[in-house]
Structures are given as C-alpha cells and as structure tokens.
Amino acid sequence: MEPLSIAASVIAVCQARDRVGGLLSRIRLWVDAPKDVNELSIELSNIRKALEGLLSSSSVACRGSNQRLQQAISACLMRVGQLDQLLLTSLVKWTEYEGKPLSAANRMGWVRKKSKVKKVQASLKHDISAIQLEVLSLSLTGHYKLLTSVEQLGESIQGLQESRSRLRKL
C-alpha cells in the first residue's frame, strides 16, 4: 500500500468513528428520554412549589417592600413555565404519558427539544442564583437592623438605669 492510501484510509476510519459516535449519542438521548422526562417533571414540580412558597412568604414577611426578590421569583416561575411548555410540545399530551412508556415519536420529539431544554435550564439556574443572592441580601439587612435595634435597646436601658439611679439619689 502506498503511504497516501494509508493516510486516506486512516482519515476515512476517523470520520466513520466520529459519525458513529454522534449517532450513539443521539441513540443514548432517545433511550434515556423517559427517564429524562420523568426527572425533569419532578424537578419542575419541586421548584414550582418552592418558588410559590417563597413568593407567598416573602410577600408576607417583606410586606411587598422587596420587589427585586418578587421579580426574581416571577422570572424563575416564567422559566419553569417555559420548560413545562417544552415538555408539552415535545410530548403531544404530557398527562397521558406519566408513568407509561413514551412512544418512539414522543422520544424523538424530546430528543429534538433537549438542547433547548438545556438552555432554559441554564437560565433557570442563573435566576435561582439571583434569588439566593437577594435572600442573602435580605438576611444580612435584617441581621444588621436587628443588631442596630439591640444596640439602641441597650443604650435605652442604660439611659433608664442612669435615670433611675439619679431619681433614687433625690
């Protein structure tokens, strides 16, 4: 064999390997579709419940004074809605498939939407990070206000004790 034909054969084998690898990754997505859909459904349900609880308690605790937190929570709920919509559009009628095997057509719908789902999930993680930072900020602000109030209370008590001792002397 000539060196040039050997090099061409090696290149052809490498190209074939890359194509088979790409095909195998698509097949893996297809095979894992039911598990992925179920996990995403559970995750979305848990996130939605946590966000709605946080929104409810933040509106009571902050008395509407912290709009940034409420906006961040609303943004996360919007992302959860986007992911729900992707599930619905990739799985014709989602409720029919809970706990049942996905058909081949629905698996392919999921595979086609998987990259978009990943993008929305990444955005959701960023939004959740914003909520965490806002909650931390509120917590630190609350601790500072509490510390200031305790110091003021201590000063008031000290002032009262001084007034009391002066009154006793009279």
Side-chain angles (χ1 to χ4, degrees):
M1 255 186 164
E2 292 181 36
L4 192 56
S5 64
I6 292 173
S9 297
V10 168
I11 290 172
V13 168
C14 289
Q15 286 176 339
R17 182 198 58 158
D18 288 342
R19 287 187 182 142
V20 169
L23 180 61
L24 288 176
S25 68
R26 291 289 258 194
I27 289 171
R28 168 79 46 211
L29 288 174
W30 190 83
V31 169
D32 291 344
K35 179 180 69 93
D36 291 346
V37 166
N38 189 41
E39 287 174 0
L40 181 59
S41 176
I42 291 169
E43 181 182 359
L44 291 176
S45 176
N46 291 337
I47 290 172
R48 181 180 292 103
K49 287 175 188 172
L51 289 172
E52 288 170 349
L54 182 60
L55 185 61
S56 174
S57 62
S58 72
S59 63
V60 170
C62 299
R63 293 181 187 88
S65 64
N66 193 334
Q67 290 184 342
R68 286 187 315 224
L69 177 60
Q70 292 175 351
Q71 287 172 346
I73 293 170
S74 296
C76 279
L77 286 170
M78 184 191 73
R79 300 273 189 224
V80 169
Q82 287 176 328
L83 288 169
D84 275 337
Q85 194 60 35
L86 285 170
L87 278 176
L88 286 171
T89 57
S90 65
L91 302 172
V92 187
K93 290 184 181 174
W94 170 240
T95 54
E96 290 181 12
Y97 296 99
E98 287 182 344
K100 298 178 184 175
L102 295 175
S103 70
N106 287 324
R107 286 180 189 222
M108 287 309 296
W110 174 250
V111 169
R112 284 193 304 272
K113 302 277 181 166
K114 183 78 178 206
S115 64
K116 189 166 185 172
V117 166
K118 291 288 185 192
K119 288 178 185 176
V120 176
Q121 281 179 313
S123 297
L124 178 61
K125 286 181 183 182
H126 289 295
D127 291 342
I128 289 173
S129 295
I131 289 174
Q132 291 170 331
L133 286 172
E134 193 59 39
V135 168
L136 179 61
S137 172
L138 285 172
S139 178
L140 290 173
T141 302
H143 287 320
Y144 176 73
K145 287 179 180 178
L146 181 61
L147 179 63
T148 304
S149 297
V150 168
E151 288 173 354
Q152 290 173 349
L153 182 61
E155 290 169 2
S156 296
I157 291 172
Q158 186 179 7
L160 285 172
Q161 288 174 343
E162 289 172 2
S163 296
R164 184 177 172 191
S165 55
R166 276 184 275 165
L167 283 173
R168 282 188 185 163
K169 289 179 184 178
L170 293 175

